[in-house]
Amino acid sequence: MESLFDSIGAFLGGLFGLAQGGFDGVNQVMGLLIAVMAALLMPAWSRLWASALGAALVHVAIGVIRPMLDGGAFALPDLLSLGFWMMLVALFLGYAIVIAVFFLIKSLVTGGGHGRRRHAH
């Protein structure tokens, strides 16, 4: 039973480490701008995971395009490496945290974000 708790603790510790690394990656100007745009476009809490995934993919796309704008060559990231996928998962978790905070602020300010639709009768 102790090994089960140790395994769960190790898994949660690794997941927390990934989220912290992703949050560090998002906590820059580009990441914060992407997160604000995603939170503004997100219609309801149920779309948080899709918004976080989209934001992480936009982050990677900008990372590919930005060197070309500086005169560099086009180079795709190493899609077959574990490092790329771990970075993508970390960004996903980081964006999920930051977008959730921004969407909470948006829903408190606008009074929306609960996902119900109001119908005029």
Side-chain angles (χ1 to χ4, degrees):
M1 192 61 146
E2 269 186 47
S3 81
L4 176 65
F5 289 129
D6 291 340
S7 297
I8 292 172
F11 173 75
L12 292 176
L15 194 61
F16 180 73
L18 270 176
Q20 186 176 13
F23 184 73
D24 290 343
V26 173
N27 198 12
Q28 299 171 6
V29 174
M30 179 182 75
L32 291 174
L33 288 174
I34 293 171
V36 165
M37 291 302 297
L40 289 174
L41 294 174
M42 192 168 78
W45 282 107
S46 62
R47 301 299 296 163
L48 175 64
W49 304 115
S51 297
L53 179 62
L57 293 175
V58 166
H59 189 106
V60 170
I62 290 173
V64 169
I65 293 171
R66 191 166 46 185
M68 289 184 351
L69 296 176
D70 292 334
F74 176 74
L76 284 175
D78 188 11
L79 299 176
L80 299 178
S81 72
L82 181 62
F84 170 77
W85 292 104
M86 294 297 285
M87 183 262 315
L88 188 63
V89 169
L91 282 173
F92 170 75
L93 292 172
Y95 274 114
I97 293 167
V98 175
I99 291 170
V101 169
F102 286 149
F103 189 74
L104 176 66
I105 293 169
K106 172 189 162 189
S107 63
L108 290 174
V109 169
T110 62
H114 41 72
R116 290 183 289 183
R117 296 178 187 245
R118 296 183 184 150
H119 299 283
H121 295 292

